[in-house]
Amino acid sequence: MATYVVVGLQYGDEGKGKITDVLSAKSDYVVRFQGGDNAGHTVYVGEEKFVLHLLPSGVLQCKGKCVIGNGVVVNPKSFLREIAQIEEKGMRTDHVFISRRAHVIMPYHILLDTYREEEEGGTQIGTTKKGIGPCYEDKIARVGIRMVDLLNPEVLAEKIKKSLKTKNSLFEKYFEKPTLEFDEIYNEFLALGETLKDRIVDTEVELNQAIHNGKNILFEGAQAAMLDIDFGTYPYVTSSSPTTGGVCAGAGVPPTSLQNLIGVAKAYTTRVGNGPFPTELNDETGAEMRRIGHEFGATTGRPRRCGWLDLVSLKHATMINGINNLVITKLDVLSGMPTLKIATKYKTEDGKIIDYFTSSTTKLYNYEPMYEELEGWTEDITQARSYDELPANAKKYIEFIENYLGINVYLVSVGPERSQNIIRKELF
Ligand code: GDP
Ligand code: IMO
Ligand code: MG
């Protein structure tokens, strides 16, 4: 039996989709365990670009099954749209399944997310407006609608009626917006259940059997540690646990079954949405990273904020996740930069030097990163396929990260295409 977990270590968009795609060729199962269609995972196959939001990135080359676990919040309409896009390209999707326990993103979740973000003095987290937070709220409040409910007309009717009572009151009285009609939502979601019924299964039972039978299982994280509801920069976070710990609750597999914990980090840092970002560069260097790295959100198209690599936050992320294999992506984007900076400590507002991440999000805005400077390289590294082919300064950059974190970089990604990798150790 071998299990693999791929998680993001920064603020999302580290290249998890690309790495999942690479590893999925040898996986019997590829499993999403949290988040929803707020994710945007890009995979290049030759010149062809795929962006997966809700489907596991393994859908493209996994010969086994792709699973949307119970911890995911599912927008059934997005799901069907993505399925159609994949099928249009002549690929199969009959191997994609959804947990009966996964919660459903309803139209009122999306509206609530949007109204809150757009309200003057509202939350202003800069969410993707996909209804993620409100759907998880209902789950925790025990009033959510699960995939299994779409298959039971009476239960579905009762649950929608109850939800609409409170949501409509909020829309009407607080946001001064139109209310929603029961019939329209009920009929639409009943029909969605009918369309999806053969894909809605007890995924946790099958996954545990697969573990028992020694299959290769790959768990694909969305978002990342610094967006984690507990360990990220709260409240500028998403509403789930995108850490390795989230796998057990989000897929129904025991902690003892998790083996290869793979953390993905960019060679620099990006963030989309609001919240503190200590190493952010609001200058020409940041703009150059955005231009060369094509740093625009895969889900919302927003320009990503860019900055230097932050090892203080990365250490926090690897600790929470227990990472035992690191992946560094987009090293190629740094080619040509004369000097590279890496944050190794922060200076607090009262002049104290610290090397750990803080839970006080408001204070973080005033922390000043302290940098080590490394010499850059000028060579194009996008064709390198072995570690020895990298320029000496690129190797020094990788080794600096390894030494600080005490974890080996097992894969260096040097371009968006699925073959642009330097694999230093075969994990399978
Ligand atoms: P994810 O959300 O973690 O899957 O990452 P995204 O797909 O949102 O963002 C990563 C972006 O970087 C995508 O456009 C990828 O095609 C691209 N990418 C991934 N790895 C590399 C790399 O090593 N070099 C370059 N230049 N681009 C990469
Ligand atoms: P992938 O899987 C980058 C950010 C949003 C916002 C915050 C909360 O592609 O790495 P939400 O809609 O989840 O309530 O928004 O989280 N965010 C992401 N940023 N990559 C993502 O996913 C993200 N998913 C959510 O921008 O700041
Ligand atoms: Mg993304």
Side-chain angles (χ1 to χ4, degrees):
M1 180 254 317
T3 56
Y4 303 82
V5 183
V6 172
V7 288
L9 297 178
Q10 294 159 317
Y11 301 93
D13 305 327
E14 296 87 353
K16 299 175 293 292
K18 181 197 154 169
I19 302 306
T20 301
D21 170 64
V22 170
L23 295 176
S24 67
K26 293 185 187 165
S27 303
D28 299 303
Y29 287 84
V30 182
V31 185
R32 279 278 307 268
F33 58 91
Q34 48 70 232
D37 61 341
N38 49 348
H41 296 181
T42 317
V43 179
Y44 275 90
V45 183
E47 295 284 295
E48 193 157 25
K49 180 181 178 180
F50 296 85
V51 183
L52 287 321
H53 298 287
L54 188 53
L55 303 187
S57 305
V59 71
L60 303 179
Q61 61 173 346
C62 171
K63 306 241 171 2
K65 291 188 181 176
C66 291
V67 171
I68 295 179
N70 56 280
V72 176
V73 284
V74 179
N75 178 332
K77 288 183 271 185
S78 302
F79 177 86
L80 288 172
R81 219 176 297 127
E82 242 174 274
I83 288 281
Q85 280 165 5
I86 300 286
E87 287 180 354
E88 262 167 36
K89 297 198 176 182
M91 288 181 214
R92 65 184 277 242
T93 64
D94 60 332
H95 59 327
V96 184
F97 298 91
I98 310 174
S99 165
R100 287 159 65 90
R101 297 173 188 270
H103 278 247
V104 183
I105 297 181
M106 301 296 288
Y108 43 80
H109 293 138
I110 298 171
L111 289 174
L112 197 51
D113 196 359
T114 308
Y115 294 158
R116 279 181 185 160
E117 284 287 304
E118 289 174 357
E119 184 192 6
E120 207 174 312
T123 51
Q124 265 138 39
I125 286 162
T127 73
T128 58
K129 298 183 183 167
K130 299 285 182 190
I132 306 296
C135 184
Y136 277 119
E137 284 171 34
D138 278 1
K139 172 177 176 173
I140 300 304
R142 296 162 293 185
V143 296
I145 294 174
R146 301 189 297 170
M147 291 304 293
V148 64
D149 300 329
L150 301 185
L151 308 179
N152 186 327
E154 287 78 35
V155 172
L156 183 64
E158 194 190 328
K159 285 193 163 189
I160 294 179
K161 266 186 203 146
K162 257 194 186 158
S163 283
L164 279 183
K165 226 167 136 184
T166 52
K167 300 301 190 285
N168 273 341
S169 147
L170 200 59
F171 291 157
E172 191 177 8
K173 301 204 175 96
Y174 183 76
F175 291 106
E176 298 177 341
K177 298 280 186 190
T179 54
L180 301 181
E181 293 299 328
F182 168 81
D183 284 345
E184 203 179 311
I185 299 180
Y186 174 69
N187 290 330
E188 183 177 30
F189 280 77
L190 198 60
L192 285 165
E194 182 59 28
T195 308
L196 291 171
K197 64 176 191 281
D198 293 339
R199 297 185 189 266
I200 305 173
V201 298
D202 282 323
T203 54
E204 70 278 13
V205 174
E206 183 160 346
L207 288 175
N208 278 285
Q209 270 164 4
I211 290 172
H212 184 74
N213 293 334
K215 302 287 185 195
N216 283 335
I217 306 179
L218 174 59
F219 297 95
E220 174 186 9
Q223 292 81 52
M226 304 315 289
L227 293 175
D228 180 273
I229 187 75
D230 284 284
F231 301 105
T233 53
Y234 191 90
Y236 301 98
V237 292
T238 192
S239 301
S240 64
S241 301
T243 48
T244 54
V247 174
C248 300
V253 298
T256 44
S257 68
L258 303 185
Q259 296 167 323
N260 300 285
L261 308 181
I262 303 165
V264 186
K266 262 180 212 178
Y268 50 99
T269 312
T270 63
R271 176 165 204 166
V272 56
N274 302 328
F277 177 178
T279 60
E280 183 171 13
L281 291 168
N282 289 307
D283 62 7
E284 192 39 47
T285 310
E288 204 178 324
M289 287 174 176
R290 187 174 310 112
R291 190 172 50 77
I292 300 174
H294 304 290
E295 296 296 357
F296 294 88
T299 296
T300 57
R302 292 176 288 178
R304 293 175 183 151
R305 301 155 66 192
C306 296
W308 297 118
L309 186 67
D310 181 351
L311 287 180
V312 182
S313 72
L314 216 48
K315 184 131 198 163
H316 171 75
T318 54
M319 172 186 80
I320 297 297
N321 280 295
I323 295 303
N324 48 28
N325 291 283
L326 267 179
V327 171
I328 299 293
T329 60
K330 303 192 96 159
L331 191 66
D332 54 300
V333 176
L334 298 182
S335 293
M337 292 197 177
T339 307
L340 304 170
K341 294 188 183 182
I342 298 185
T344 55
K345 294 186 176 82
Y346 295 155
K347 190 191 258 184
T348 68
E349 53 198 345
D350 43 16
K352 227 168 89 186
I353 311 287
I354 58 167
D355 63 358
Y356 55 86
F357 206 76
T358 176
S359 54
S360 176
T361 304
T362 43
K363 281 192 179 158
L364 199 53
Y365 282 107
N366 302 319
Y367 284 10
E368 203 184 301
M370 299 180 68
Y371 293 108
E372 298 269 344
E373 292 195 3
L374 278 77
E375 258 178 62
W377 60 92
T378 53
E379 294 88 336
D380 173 4
I381 58 169
T382 57
Q383 304 308 317
R385 296 292 177 271
S386 73
Y387 193 66
D388 288 341
E389 289 172 60
L390 286 179
N393 286 346
K395 286 191 218 163
K396 278 189 194 155
Y397 193 82
I398 294 293
E399 284 151 27
F400 190 92
I401 299 169
E402 289 183 315
N403 289 337
Y404 186 99
L405 299 175
I407 307 167
N408 289 334
V409 172
Y410 103 91
L411 189 153
V412 181
S413 172
V414 291
E417 217 280 331
R418 58 158 70 123
S419 62
Q420 290 182 291
N421 304 307
I422 294 171
I423 298 175
R424 299 170 77 193
K425 178 178 86 173
E426 285 297 342
L427 285 189
F428 279 79

